[in-house]
């Protein structure tokens, strides 16, 4: 009996010892409690793991995966192209030959290879590899070839003009990898990235954190950055914290220096804490999109009637705590092509006016049935809407539902998760959806509507022609009138109700200084950040 | 307890695991959503979607995909993640220790809280202590884990600053998650212990034991508890099994890189082989825990024999 009891105790003690001893080594990994030592660490809270550090194998480029890379250029805070790895460039008169002069003397992180024109060529060839093309190859479909002129000069040969190519070259899709590292690691390059960027990957524990150390030899970065030297802090840790409430608690506690803030927490953080809350325009808009292949959207009058039915102010005030702006244009203020005049014109054209909705429907032959729903040819005006499983979007949908009920339209909200929605809508399984787009260039209208697009299946000759023409010019002056025409056409022939233009809300701990937002670069300029 | 019995039981898990794998495989392919769209992004043309589908082998017939998975899994190779291209076996091996540590700590807490409260309540049947214990247990059973987790974070993390709020920085990070799970599952054990002990207390042999003058402590520990333990062991065993599969909400709220996170990410991103791999591991640990429970039965009660 005694023996048995001791053996049980022994087992318990052994288990505890195992657990406790197993815990020691992990204690130094990426903790944010800023204890005494002189290592300055910036802790950045993110929602999930980087899919991979090999940017050619995913379209999902999150900050935690891209900071070790540089691109040829970068879009600055004003939306202009700022030199980065490329010092200067010339564009031929027909716009089909671009020659880049590259910066010299830049080494990749492995310190074994210098950044030259060959690395640019290698990047292009790897993306276009006929046996295994990059998932992002379509982003550079306008480029036929990249030719090495000499070590520091490289020529891009285009098959057609692509007015949005600066965004591709200036973002992470064409960030330059170290050719020899890629060859060496092959399939495992995704865990061994090597670039020329300000941060060097140090440690990645999936589900927990990604840690980078500063590249103390960093060459300087984009021209428009304040800090054209190595980063001003030593460590950059991305902590993976999936739960929103937890992220905000960590931010408040000071164990996290940056986290995105949900609208419902904004006021409290501003008023009751020392968190520095910064609002910046997001690069997209949210809309209620119709599946144009399906009844009742085949009837233009129904689509027009919907334009008057939605109280956009009510949505931004109650679902978004006033932290978004009602919108009528097809482009938000953060994308070139938006204009105040157009916006005012569209707003005057489609005010919130339930009576007008009823009038348009009744003129089209709809009549209220016994349930208070409009009906035509024995078919009640009832539609479903796919909505992403996320609080703000569900609240938005509920306001739309109640707005529509007031005008005799029956809306069925179908909440689903992202994977279901993004794979079902290209197949046209939905009747309508509440969705968001985000982009930096008016070319978004081409993506949205080309061959009908994957969200609204809007096949229309004029839309197709204008969307294509829009990015077949390089200069923005030539492109803008086309986008103006396209926006007017979309207002007259809508396939959606544009709802609002959200803001990105950023929370910084009080020790973070010199925060510069860049709406075009997706967030803030990391290299300019200083820590107190 | 014969060894042939144990071996037979282990062999019997094979059809179970096969069934679980097949079921998960079919469910994953039946639910809408496709990993390729998530990889290539919203605006990629159909040709890109098709090319990546081929690269990942998702264009092959379902039965071919399933048998490929099975034949590799038997050899211990669960394949590579569709999304991250990392080795799934390795990923599970990396994450299992954390989930295991939390599970062990939570079960220990659960036993201490559950048995303690349960026995106390039973011995003070219909007295104040009984009521207090059972109200506590009721609270524990009905409290959602994310809420308790946030409360603990607020008190011990934000308020007292004794423990990290989330993430994994060594043993101190395990305390709050283990307490969350231990309190909630311990409450169930407490209720079960109470009713089980009460039932045994009314049996004739307890009266006999008392009548022959045994000390009350001996009566309780040696006669009552040992007989009352059978249903409790079942409950503890089951909860250990499910904790080894990772506690989804707790791991999410505390940002812990355990097995459950892997499963959740896999499901959200439609990472088919990842989900299959994780579920297989969960199924194995569950069946092993069940076997363990059966073995413990026969130790506790020699009348139970397996042949």
């Amino acid at each position: 009996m005694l023996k048995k009891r001791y053996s049980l105790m022994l087992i318990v003690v052994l288990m505890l010892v195992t657990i406790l001893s197993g815990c020691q080594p992990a204690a130094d990994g990426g903790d944010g409690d800023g204890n005494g030592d002189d290592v300055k660490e910036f802790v950045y809270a993110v929602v999930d793991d980087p899919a991979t550090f090999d940017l050619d194998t995913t379209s999902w480029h999150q900050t935690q995966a891209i900071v070790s890379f540089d691109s040829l250029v970068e879009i600055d805070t004003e939306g202009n192209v700022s030199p980065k790895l490329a010092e200067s460039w010339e564009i031929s008169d027909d716009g089909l030959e671009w020659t880049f002069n590259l910066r010299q003397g830049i080494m990749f992180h492995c310190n074994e290879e210098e950044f030259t024109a060959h690395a640019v060529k290698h990047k292009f060839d790897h993306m276009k590899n006929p046996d295994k093309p990059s998932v992002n190859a379509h982003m550079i479909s306008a480029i036929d070839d990249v030719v090495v002129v000499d070590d520091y000069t490289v020529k891009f040969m285009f098959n057609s003009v692509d007015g949005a190519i600066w965004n591709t070259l200036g973002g992470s899709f064409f960030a330059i990898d170290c050719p020899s590292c890629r060859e060496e690691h092959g399939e495992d390059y995704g865990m061994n990235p090597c670039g020329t960027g300000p941060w060097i990957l140090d440690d990645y524990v999936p589900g927990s954190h990604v840690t980078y150390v500063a590249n103390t030899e960093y060459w300087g970065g984009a021209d428009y950055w304040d800090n054209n030297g190595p980063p001003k802090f030593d460590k950059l840790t991305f902590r993976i914290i999936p739960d929103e409430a937890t992220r905000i608690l960590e931010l408040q506690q000071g164990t996290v220096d940056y986290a995105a803030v949900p609208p419902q927490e904004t006021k409290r953080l501003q008023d009751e804490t020392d968190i520095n809350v910064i609002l910046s325009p997001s690069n997209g808009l949210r809309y209620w999109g119709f599946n144009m292949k399906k009844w009742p959207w085949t009837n233009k009058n129904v689509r027009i009637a919907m334009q008057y039915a939605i109280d956009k102010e009510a949505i931004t005030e109650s679902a978004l705590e006033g932290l978004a702006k009602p919108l009528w244009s097809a482009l938000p203020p953060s994308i070139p092509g938006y204009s105040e005049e157009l916006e005012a014109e569209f707003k005057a054209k489609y005010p919130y006016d339930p009576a007008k909705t009823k009038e348009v429907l009744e003129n089209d032959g709809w009549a209220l049935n016994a349930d208070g729903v409009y009906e035509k040819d024995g078919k009640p005006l009832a539609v479903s809407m796919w909505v992403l499983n996320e609080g703000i979007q569900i609240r938005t949908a509920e306001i739309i539902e109640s707005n529509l009920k007031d005008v005799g339209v029956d809306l069925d909200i179908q909440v689903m998760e992202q994977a279901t929605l993004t794979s079902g809508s290209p197949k046209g399984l939905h009747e309508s959806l509440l969705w968001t787009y985000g982009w930096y260039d008016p070319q978004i209208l081409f993506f949205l509507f080309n061959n009908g697009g994957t969200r609204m299946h809007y096949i229309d000759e004029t839309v197709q022609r204008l969307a294509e023409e829009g990015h077949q010019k390089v200069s923005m002056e030539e492109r803008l009138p086309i986008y103006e025409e396209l926006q007017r056409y979309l207002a007259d022939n809508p396939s959606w109700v544009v709802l609002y233009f959200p803001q990105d809300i950023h929370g910084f701990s009080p020790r973070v200084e010199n925060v510069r937002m860049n709406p075009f670069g997706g967030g803030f300029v990391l290299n300019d950040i200083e820590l107190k | 307890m014969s060894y042939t019995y144990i071996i037979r039981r282990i062999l019997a898990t094979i059809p179970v695991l096969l069934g679980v794998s097949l079921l998960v495989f079919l469910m994953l392919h039946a639910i809408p959503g496709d990993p390729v769209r998530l990889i290539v992004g919203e605006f990629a043309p159909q040709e890109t979607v098709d090319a990546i589908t081929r690269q990942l082998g998702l264009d092959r017939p379902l039965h071919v995909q399933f048998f490929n998975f099975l034949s590799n899994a038997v050899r211990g190779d669960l394949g590579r993640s569709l999304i991250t291209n990392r080795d799934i076996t390795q990923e599970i091996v990396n994450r299992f220790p954390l989930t295991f540590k939390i599970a062990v700590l939570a079960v220990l807490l659960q036993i201490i809280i559950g048995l303690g409260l349960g026995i106390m309540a039973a011995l003070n049947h219909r007295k104040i202590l009984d009521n207090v214990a059972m109200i506590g247990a009721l609270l524990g059973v009905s409290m959602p884990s994310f809420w308790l987790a946030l409360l603990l974070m607020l008190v011990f993390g934000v308020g007292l600053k004794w423990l990290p709020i989330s993430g994994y920085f060594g043993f101190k990070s395990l305390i709050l998650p283990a307490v969350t799970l231990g309190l909630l599952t311990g409450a169930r054990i407490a209720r079960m212990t109470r009713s089980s002990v009460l039932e045994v207390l009314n049996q004739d042999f307890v009266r006999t034991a008392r009548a022959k003058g045994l000390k009350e402590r001996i009566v309780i520990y040696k006669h009552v508890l040992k007989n009352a333990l059978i249903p409790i062991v079942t409950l503890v065993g089951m909860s250990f099994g499910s904790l080894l599969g990772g506690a989804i909400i707790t791991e999410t709220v505390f940002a812990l890189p355990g097995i459950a996170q892997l499963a959740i990410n896999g499901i959200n991103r439609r990472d088919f082989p990842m989900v299959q791999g994780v579920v297989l591991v969960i199924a194995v640990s569950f069946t092993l825990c069940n076997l363990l429970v059966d073995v413990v039965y026969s130790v506790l009660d020699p009348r139970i024999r397996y042949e």
Side-chain angles (χ1 to χ4, degrees), chain B:
Chain B
M1 166 78 21
S2 65
Y3 289 106
T4 45
Y5 170 75
I6 294 184
I7 291 169
R8 254 204 348 258
R9 279 291 303 269
I10 291 178
L11 288 180
T13 58
I14 292 174
V16 173
L17 297 181
L18 262 178
V20 168
S21 304
L22 182 63
L23 206 66
V24 170
F25 181 83
L26 290 178
M27 274 159 63
L28 279 174
H29 284 87
I31 51 173
D34 136 39
V36 178
R37 257 297 155 197
L38 293 175
I39 296 170
V40 301
E42 165 162 11
F43 305 122
Q46 192 58 38
E47 304 87 75
T48 311
V49 175
D50 295 341
I52 301 300
T53 308
R54 262 196 308 282
Q55 261 182 39
L56 296 176
L58 293 172
D59 56 335
R60 278 176 284 177
L62 282 188
H63 64 271
V64 175
Q65 291 187 42
F66 184 62
F67 284 109
N68 279 348
F69 166 73
L70 272 192
S71 63
N72 289 330
V74 172
R75 280 173 272 153
D77 173 14
L78 295 172
R80 277 177 175 253
S81 154
L82 297 180
I83 310 289
T84 64
N85 198 30
R86 285 197 292 271
D87 185 69
I88 293 171
T89 317
Q90 192 55 46
E91 197 99 339
I92 292 175
V93 167
N94 287 346
R95 287 182 183 227
F96 196 74
L98 177 60
T99 298
F100 182 77
K101 283 173 199 166
I102 296 172
V104 170
L105 278 178
V107 163
L108 285 179
L109 269 173
Q110 161 190 71
I111 293 173
I112 294 168
I113 295 167
L115 281 186
L117 275 185
I119 294 172
M120 187 182 81
L123 295 184
N124 296 287
H125 188 42
R126 304 229 167 116
K127 291 186 196 140
I128 292 230
L129 269 181
D130 181 17
N131 290 334
V132 170
M134 283 306 106
I135 288 173
L138 185 68
L139 266 179
V141 173
S142 27
M143 214 181 317
S145 59
F146 66 88
W147 190 67
L148 178 60
L150 284 175
L151 277 187
L152 290 174
M153 283 178 183
L154 272 173
V155 174
F156 295 100
V158 179
L160 298 169
K161 298 189 196 280
W162 287 351
L163 296 166
I165 297 170
S166 70
Y168 181 51
F169 309 114
F171 180 71
K172 56 186 197 291
S173 293
L174 300 180
I175 299 174
L176 293 184
V179 169
T180 306
L181 292 169
L183 281 179
L184 299 183
T185 49
R188 249 180 301 163
I189 306 278
R191 288 160 65 92
M192 176 64 89
T193 306
R194 176 178 176 271
S195 60
S196 181
V197 168
L198 277 178
E199 204 184 303
V200 179
L201 273 176
N202 293 327
Q203 306 256 338
D204 290 345
F205 66 83
V206 176
R207 197 168 353 117
T208 312
R210 281 180 176 149
K212 70 181 180 183
L214 284 182
K215 277 189 211 152
E216 186 65 14
R217 227 186 53 191
I218 305 275
V219 174
I220 298 297
Y221 286 104
K222 205 154 171 220
H223 294 273
V224 176
L225 205 50
K226 207 167 167 189
N227 282 288
L229 272 180
I230 296 280
I232 300 164
V233 166
T234 316
L235 207 59
V236 171
M238 298 296 269
S239 86
F240 187 57
S242 73
L243 285 172
L244 282 183
I248 289 177
I249 293 173
T250 311
E251 279 189 17
T252 304
V253 175
F254 286 104
L256 292 166
I259 289 280
Q261 285 282 357
L262 213 51
I264 272 290
N265 279 335
I267 292 168
N268 284 339
R269 299 175 182 186
R270 297 292 188 272
D271 195 345
F272 300 143
M274 179 66 87
V275 179
Q276 275 162 240
V278 174
V279 170
L280 195 65
V281 171
I282 293 176
V284 169
S285 38
F286 229 107
T287 41
L288 286 184
C289 276
N290 264 329
L291 180 59
L292 202 68
V293 166
D294 287 349
V295 172
V296 173
Y297 279 169
S298 67
V299 173
L300 280 174
D301 187 346
R303 282 169 301 181
I304 297 176
R305 287 264 167 265
Y306 305 103
E307 290 309 333

Side-chain angles (χ1 to χ4, degrees), chain A residues 51 59 239 246 250 253 417 423, chain B residues 33 39 42 84 157 166 253 270:
Chain A
S59 62
R239 276 192 54 198
T246 312
E250 292 273 11
Q253 178 80 323
E417 37 107 54
S423 73
Chain B
I39 296 170
E42 165 162 11
T84 64
S166 70
V253 175
R270 297 292 188 272

